[in-house]
Amino acid sequence: MNPEVTGLPEVDWHVLETLAARLEQPGVSPGSLAEAEWRCLPAAVQCLTDKEDWPALLQLRRLFRPLMARDSAGAMPVFLELSESAAVAAEKLEDWKELAGILGAYGHNLHRQGFHARAAAVFERSAQLYQDLGESFEALKNRHMTALCYRALGQRLRARQVITRVLAETGPSNPWRSNPLQVLAWLEQDRGDLHSARALLDEAATLQRHTTGAEILLAGTLPDLGEVRGLLGDPAGAVACFRESLAILAGHERLYARLEARTREKWAELAWRQGDHAHALALLDEADDLIRGHGQYPDLMWRIEMVRGFVFLRRGDWRTGWHKLRSTLAYRRALGLSTRVFAQQLLSRLVRQTGLPR
Amino acid sequence: MDHATFGTLLKLFRERGASGQGARWSLTQARFGERVEDELGLAPGTYRAQVVSKWELDQKIIPASERALLIAIIKILAEERRIKAPSEADRLLNAGGYQSLTPDEIARVFTPGATSTEPVSELEPAAEAPATPIDETRATIADVGRTSFRVSPRHWGGLGLLVLSVVLIVIGLGALGLGAVAGRAGLAIGAFVAGAIALLAAAWALWPSAEITGPRSTATAHGSVQLVADTCGDRPWPLGHQRLLLTAAFGAYFADLLEREPLYVDLAGQIDAALDGATTALAPVQRLIWALTNPRGPRVLILAGEGGLGKSTLAAKLVRCLFERNAVDLILGDSAKTQVVDPVTGAVGRLDPAFYTAEQFSARLAEQLGLPPTPPGKRGRIEQARDRFAGRRAVIVVDNLETVSAAHDLLRDLRQLVSRDVRVIATTRSVAGLERMSGVGVVHLHGLPSVAEVRTFIRWHIRAHAAGHPALARVEADLAQMPRLKRLLQRTGGSPLLIQLLISDIARQGWSVLDQLPTLYGRALLGFLYDDRWQDLNQAGDAGRCACRILGFVAAEQEAGKPVTLERLSVWTASQDLAEHQAEALRLLQERFLLMLREAERGHLSLFPSLAQFVRVRSNES
């Protein structure tokens, strides 16, 4: 501890434990608590960091780990700060396994937000740490995540190389295999092969349906499957996938708000293609409101704005459409994503009718 | 909740368009009074038109003990097919605080064939009114402004002048035609001039006047056109998963207003909304809804008035109504801060007045919109915000605008964001210079202007708070006494908060409390009443001192933005060894109208901001 830091208030662990417990209760989501109820957490993070109380910081992170692992609260500034401070703490204490786990989770949140380059670096480091510890499967999972990041950065070839290696190291009966299958499906869709994408997503969904505790993974696969089915001319099947995904997520009280928003965004794309503009806009508004409340998800936000833009353009509202597309580019620029790549993907996908840029 | 008074409903029922066989078209006040006399076997002249008029204006209250009179009124309205179902009769009676019809009374009043199970729709507020698209709304307003032509005495005079002017002009022409002989030239000129004057006068007399068409109605003032249901905005709006966003923006008090049961009473005369003249037929709150939803309405609506008049409450009602009507789907904004919370210690510190700036507000808005972390290139935040707003229908709320440094700058920034789909509602105690800004509509809140309004308000207060303060029910019988209400109006200036505080005292101690008040008004009187209560509680034993400490706790939690439930309060009182006095302390506080309790079961507690400020000062002193 830093002996020079004095006079700081002690952390009230009872209040923090009460907050963590409350967030685990049915019907309670991060957004349903008043802002004042969260104040104890940034106060605790700042206090423990100033005191350099590394064990306490790790203890604090463990207290909120279940919430941070789900995708609603992970992007909240306080949890990002907690992750960064906890990573420093683990390094100081030379707790490499803890550090690897913290980095892996931190990488997930960075990726969900859209900071793919930073996320890739974090995943790489986590993977190396696990490798050094002899935990090859954990290392594999983190390397797998780098594929998502490279794909998002437009490095499709590199992403495919990573996924191919990951699949080679994953047995066919391994339930976790559904994750790289899903990423490979995206890459196939990028290439224009929707039938291959569908087959891979069907395989992933089947694996997840037969795996206990994989329903959230299934809820994440179904929107992709719905998107592809819609592009293949099966809108009824697509809607069924979207509905099933939302039904799964409805049982989790907005703890997976980003995932729910993503499902609605994809459903909105289908509605746009079908000319049901009012429904598309309603879905997009819902998606927007889901992810505005706590933390920022620019990566999903630009997609929502993009689809909005196309809806308005198709309705003949050129001015609003222009505003939305400008907003799309603003988010992408803030994430360091190339406008040129966006234009290329847009043209390519529209021509091949393989959906909108990802 | 139906806020119409007995008098208002009586008038509406009486003037309602009759339908069906055997109905008469008009039932004048005089004729109505005669029918009541006949029904009760009273001497002619007992209930002249003036008496009926006073009933309808709530200036003369029928005592509940005169049940026979009330039933006679109902019976006549039923016979005249103005009331068609017992439910409508009950609505009229309940509006006056009278008991509903008994089965015997129903059997007596409603003869077979006259009873309908379906109340006529035009007097029923649409509980689930479908969202009215703006175009339909405009059509409704256009109907109100439609002109009509009826032959009135003025018009007869105008016709006469027209004929005279024609005659004079013909004489003038004739005089000219007979040659320009001296005398006849003068006659011609004179005739032409007189004819011209007569023509102008005829034109003035015959100019069409705008009148509301339809059945003969004296109700040209507000209330004759229903844009939205009176109950629009009354339903509590559960914040649910938006609570974090909205409490971070507005704090606990305004967020609580959005969630609580209806607080605002739409009282004519309290709202001075000098908006588009086409809306003069609308009730004041309805006019504001029109302004916020009509493309021609002001983009920025400022609600101005002293503390305690209900600005924030009105703003909350408007926001809720807009959501109910599906006129907006996004609420953003901020309550300009006068305090700041230390993130480490949680302590609440005061800020200098006018600390809050337009830049801080913009930053808050950007956070709520989820704008990118850093503005790329040279594009400003405002441009980004405008892009985000495009395609959404939003209301931006700025609470306590008077505490914003350079409020003009803030409004100027906001005006760059507003459009027909994005509006601003701001509350403020001062409008210095703001009303001259274009696109800004200013609404002034005043105290209740008349005894009738005060009576209506007190009745509402009794219904809303009698559960926590049973003695309030005794006050209702006194509401027929005009002098007392006049005195109350005079002492309070019509301030709803002051009226509520004094009525709670009157319920406990009688009307003589009004005579014991010092010669203070407005904020000074409010401070006196708070101080008086504080001292009274401190002298009320352990329970009273516990009550003071509870006030301190709730005030501190509220200022820190934390909601206070009964459960939370119980935990706190237990920690302070005050648990045994909690129940009695809460009773003392509710009797003195010092504590708002929402949701009786779970119990959300809150204080008026002015009281919270008073308590904080007192707590610091002690």
Side-chain angles (χ1 to χ4, degrees):
Chain A
M1 280 200 200
N2 185 344
E4 293 175 358
V5 177
T6 58
L8 287 171
E10 292 297 319
V11 170
D12 190 337
W13 286 100
H14 173 71
V15 170
L16 290 165
E17 286 162 2
T18 303
L19 175 63
R22 185 136 176 245
L23 287 164
E24 293 291 322
Q25 288 174 355
V28 178
S29 71
S32 67
L33 298 185
E35 183 260 349
E37 299 187 76
W38 285 96
R39 287 194 198 130
C40 58
L41 190 50
V45 173
Q46 185 171 344
C47 176
L48 294 175
T49 304
D50 289 345
K51 282 183 171 181
E52 297 182 4
D53 191 344
W54 310 127
L57 268 168
L58 293 182
Q59 179 188 350
L60 183 61
R61 186 187 171 274
R62 278 192 288 271
L63 190 61
F64 289 94
R65 182 162 51 197
L67 183 65
M68 292 165 69
R70 301 175 191 128
D71 75 354
S72 277
M76 289 176 70
V78 64
F79 286 124
L80 291 173
E81 193 181 331
L82 177 57
S83 292
E84 290 164 4
S85 297
V88 170
E91 197 146 16
K92 293 285 186 184
L93 294 174
E94 297 185 358
D95 189 341
W96 306 121
K97 183 167 182 181
E98 185 80 34
L99 178 60
I102 291 169
L103 289 176
Y106 184 47
H108 273 278
N109 283 321
L110 287 173
H111 167 67
R112 287 172 188 145
Q113 287 190 283
F115 299 110
H116 304 296
R118 280 171 63 193
V122 169
F123 284 132
E124 292 280 9
R125 186 161 180 230
S126 176
Q128 188 58 54
L129 282 166
Y130 275 123
Q131 198 68 48
D132 294 342
L133 289 166
E135 300 209 25
S136 55
F137 184 55
E138 292 299 321
L140 183 74
K141 288 200 286 187
N142 280 276
R143 281 207 304 276
H144 158 260
M145 286 305 298
T146 63
L148 281 75
C149 299
Y150 296 138
R151 175 182 172 264
L153 291 167
Q155 301 171 29
R156 301 281 161 90
L157 183 59
R158 188 174 181 183
R160 184 176 284 271
Q161 288 169 346
V162 171
I163 282 298
T164 303
R165 276 204 301 272
V166 168
L167 281 169
E169 294 180 41
T170 311
S173 58
N174 186 338
W176 183 83
R177 188 180 172 83
S178 65
N179 291 284
L181 285 174
Q182 187 176 0
V183 178
L184 186 59
W186 297 343
L187 291 167
E188 291 295 290
Q189 185 177 349
D190 294 338
R191 209 161 56 94
D193 191 344
L194 291 176
H195 291 282
S196 174
R198 176 170 177 179
L200 288 164
L201 288 169
D202 277 333
E203 186 181 347
T206 301
L207 266 173
Q208 288 158 353
R209 287 185 198 283
H210 290 99
T211 305
T212 306
E215 63 171 8
I216 296 300
L217 292 177
L218 178 62
T221 301
L222 286 168
D224 296 328
L225 183 57
E227 179 187 7
V228 169
R229 290 179 75 167
L231 289 167
L232 286 172
D234 178 14
V239 171
C241 289
F242 298 138
R243 285 195 198 281
E244 187 182 353
S245 172
L246 291 176
I248 293 170
L249 296 171
H252 293 272
E253 292 300 341
R254 301 292 171 97
L255 291 173
Y256 297 93
R258 190 197 66 96
L259 207 48
E260 188 180 338
R262 184 172 171 270
T263 302
R264 291 183 189 278
E265 183 265 322
K266 286 179 181 279
W267 193 346
E269 284 188 37
L270 174 68
W272 161 65
R273 282 196 298 274
Q274 292 183 308
D276 190 352
H277 302 140
H279 189 208
L281 288 175
L283 286 164
L284 292 167
D285 287 349
E286 288 165 9
D288 194 329
D289 292 339
L290 274 168
I291 59 172
R292 267 188 320 110
H294 27 278
Q296 306 285 0
Y297 291 99
D299 200 42
L300 185 50
M301 198 61 85
W302 73 256
R303 295 173 204 186
I304 291 171
E305 292 287 75
M306 174 183 64
V307 180
R308 273 201 181 114
F310 285 122
V311 170
F312 283 112
L313 286 175
R314 190 136 167 215
R315 281 167 59 156
D317 187 347
W318 297 93
R319 186 175 176 181
T320 305
W322 169 239
H323 279 296
K324 294 288 105 179
L325 290 177
R326 225 168 47 165
S327 188
T328 301
L329 295 177
Y331 278 111
R332 285 184 59 93
R333 279 198 298 273
L335 291 173
L337 298 176
S338 164
T339 301
R340 181 183 55 81
V341 169
F342 174 69
Q344 285 173 343
Q345 288 178 357
L346 184 61
L347 188 61
S348 159
R349 285 188 167 235
L350 286 176
V351 165
R352 288 192 277 183
Q353 296 187 0
T354 54
L356 291 173
R358 286 279 169 262
Chain B
M1 184 187 292
D2 188 341
H3 296 304
T5 65
F6 176 84
T8 304
L9 284 177
L10 177 61
K11 182 181 173 67
L12 283 171
F13 278 125
R14 182 179 62 77
E15 292 182 342
R16 175 193 257 178
S19 59
Q21 287 185 329
R24 299 173 193 182
W25 176 250
S26 66
L27 181 61
T28 63
Q29 288 174 335
R31 179 66 189 141
F32 184 68
E34 288 170 11
R35 289 290 310 276
V36 172
E37 290 163 358
D38 291 343
E39 180 66 28
L40 293 173
L42 297 174
T46 306
Y47 294 120
R48 292 199 171 97
Q50 291 92 326
V51 174
V52 178
S53 174
K54 286 190 175 180
W55 287 343
E56 292 177 350
L57 292 172
D58 291 303
Q59 288 175 354
K60 187 174 174 59
I61 307 298
I62 301 173
S65 56
E66 293 194 36
R67 188 71 179 177
L69 172 57
L70 290 167
I71 300 304
I73 287 171
I74 300 289
K75 189 160 184 283
I76 290 158
L77 290 172
E79 285 174 359
E80 292 289 342
R81 301 181 70 78
R82 263 53 170 182
I83 281 180
K84 298 193 177 182
S87 61
E88 293 188 329
D90 285 344
R91 186 183 166 202
L92 174 61
L93 290 170
N94 295 157
Y98 307 119
Q99 189 185 345
S100 301
L101 292 175
T102 64
D104 284 344
E105 288 169 341
I106 291 173
R108 242 190 304 145
V109 169
F110 291 92
T111 56
T115 305
S116 164
T117 56
E118 292 292 329
V120 177
S121 61
E122 69 256 26
L123 281 184
E124 252 343 283
E128 295 294 334
T132 305
I134 288 177
D135 288 343
E136 287 182 40
T137 303
R138 288 164 69 184
T140 305
I141 301 301
D143 287 344
V144 169
R146 195 170 62 222
T147 60
S148 71
F149 190 85
R150 291 186 308 156
V151 182
S152 68
R154 189 179 113 182
H155 293 144
W156 282 117
L159 283 171
L161 284 170
L162 182 63
V163 170
L164 178 63
S165 68
V166 169
V167 168
L168 287 170
I169 291 171
V170 166
I171 291 172
L173 286 171
L176 278 180
L178 290 173
V181 179
R184 291 217 174 101
L187 177 65
I189 293 169
F192 274 129
V193 169
I197 292 172
L199 191 59
L200 286 172
W204 171 81
L206 291 170
W207 196 261
S209 59
E211 296 184 31
I212 297 170
T213 59
R216 257 187 80 173
S217 171
T218 57
T220 56
H222 49 253
S224 58
V225 175
Q226 196 84 0
L227 178 63
V228 298
D230 288 336
T231 53
C232 188
D234 284 351
R235 274 206 298 265
W237 184 36
L239 297 181
H241 303 289
Q242 294 192 71
R243 182 167 291 109
L244 175 57
L245 198 65
L246 293 177
T247 53
F250 299 112
Y253 183 68
F254 191 83
D256 187 61
L257 286 177
L258 294 172
E259 285 195 291
R260 64 169 50 233
E261 295 84 15
L263 282 182
Y264 186 78
V265 184
D266 183 4
L267 296 169
Q270 196 186 0
I271 299 175
D272 178 7
L275 301 172
D276 191 322
T279 64
T280 52
L282 294 173
V285 172
Q286 306 241 348
R287 206 179 303 168
L288 300 183
I289 297 297
W290 177 91
L292 289 167
T293 53
N294 191 284
R296 291 180 299 155
R299 302 297 193 237
V300 178
L301 192 69
I302 296 180
L303 308 178
E306 281 299 320
L309 291 180
K311 299 184 298 296
S312 298
T313 310
L314 175 57
K317 177 176 168 98
L318 292 174
V319 167
R320 297 200 310 201
C321 184
L322 291 173
F323 269 93
E324 276 178 39
R325 303 278 300 164
N326 202 30
V328 299
D329 51 41
L330 190 61
I331 172 174
L332 303 166
D334 203 355
S335 180
K337 303 294 186 293
T338 56
Q339 63 251 358
V340 66
V341 179
D342 187 311
V344 177
T345 65
V348 178
R350 301 292 297 173
L351 292 173
D352 289 334
F355 176 83
Y356 199 69
T357 65
E359 286 70 34
Q360 286 174 298
F361 186 87
S362 295
R364 174 75 78 180
L365 214 57
E367 191 183 321
Q368 293 169 17
L369 283 170
L371 289 182
T374 51
K378 294 179 182 177
R379 288 182 57 210
R381 272 275 180 248
I382 290 178
E383 212 172 32
Q384 283 189 336
R386 212 167 34 222
D387 288 341
R388 279 288 280 140
F389 275 127
R392 301 296 299 264
R393 293 160 299 145
V395 59
I396 303 172
V397 178
V398 186
D399 204 18
N400 304 320
L401 185 63
E402 74 277 0
T403 62
V404 178
S405 166
H408 290 78
D409 291 342
L410 176 57
L411 287 185
R412 190 189 59 231
D413 290 346
L414 286 173
R415 280 173 56 213
Q416 295 184 60
L417 295 176
V418 295
S419 65
R420 61 176 279 168
D421 293 322
V422 179
R423 305 294 177 100
V424 171
I425 298 175
T427 68
T428 183
R429 293 189 183 189
S430 167
V431 289
L434 297 178
E435 59 264 86
R436 287 193 292 275
M437 298 178 83
S438 70
V440 174
V442 179
V443 175
H444 293 275
L445 265 67
H446 303 295
L448 304 178
S450 71
V451 167
E453 301 291 336
V454 170
R455 183 182 291 118
T456 303
F457 180 66
I458 294 173
R459 280 209 175 109
W460 171 84
H461 175 82
I462 291 170
R463 286 196 195 97
H465 299 285
H469 187 187
L472 280 171
R474 291 201 293 266
V475 176
E476 181 135 21
D478 299 336
L479 296 183
Q481 299 185 30
M482 191 77 74
R484 285 178 168 170
L485 293 182
K486 276 186 179 172
R487 182 98 176 102
L488 180 63
L489 178 60
Q490 186 254 335
R491 293 301 283 118
T492 61
S495 163
L497 178 56
L498 285 174
I499 290 172
Q500 290 177 297
L501 286 167
L502 283 174
I503 278 295
S504 69
D505 290 342
I506 290 167
R508 287 185 296 123
Q509 300 165 35
W511 289 85
S512 59
V513 298
L514 292 180
D515 301 321
Q516 294 161 17
L517 291 174
T519 313
L520 296 171
Y521 297 92
R523 273 190 227 184
L525 179 59
L526 186 64
F528 169 81
L529 291 174
Y530 285 155
D531 198 55
D532 189 53
R533 278 154 167 74
W534 188 262
Q535 291 182 34
D536 179 42
L537 286 171
N538 270 303
Q539 289 162 10
D542 291 334
R545 285 187 287 277
C546 176
C548 288
R549 293 195 58 190
I550 287 175
L551 283 179
F553 169 70
V554 176
E557 295 290 279
Q558 185 169 303
E559 285 209 343
K562 298 178 187 175
V564 183
T565 60
L566 281 175
E567 182 187 347
R568 189 183 173 91
L569 178 66
S570 297
V571 168
W572 179 79
T573 52
S575 71
Q576 305 291 314
D577 289 327
L578 295 171
E580 64 174 304
H581 304 299
Q582 177 178 311
E584 177 63 11
L586 288 177
R587 186 188 68 78
L588 292 172
L589 290 172
Q590 284 190 276
E591 279 184 356
R592 286 153 181 76
F593 198 62
L594 289 177
L595 200 64
M596 302 292 102
L597 177 62
R598 168 167 75 86
E599 291 179 30
E601 269 191 38
R602 188 160 182 253
H604 284 263
L605 305 168
S606 61
L607 309 181
F608 287 112
S610 56
L611 177 59
Q613 194 174 1
F614 169 85
V615 169
R616 185 174 40 77
V617 170
R618 278 310 179 109
S619 298
N620 289 341
E621 285 172 359
S622 58

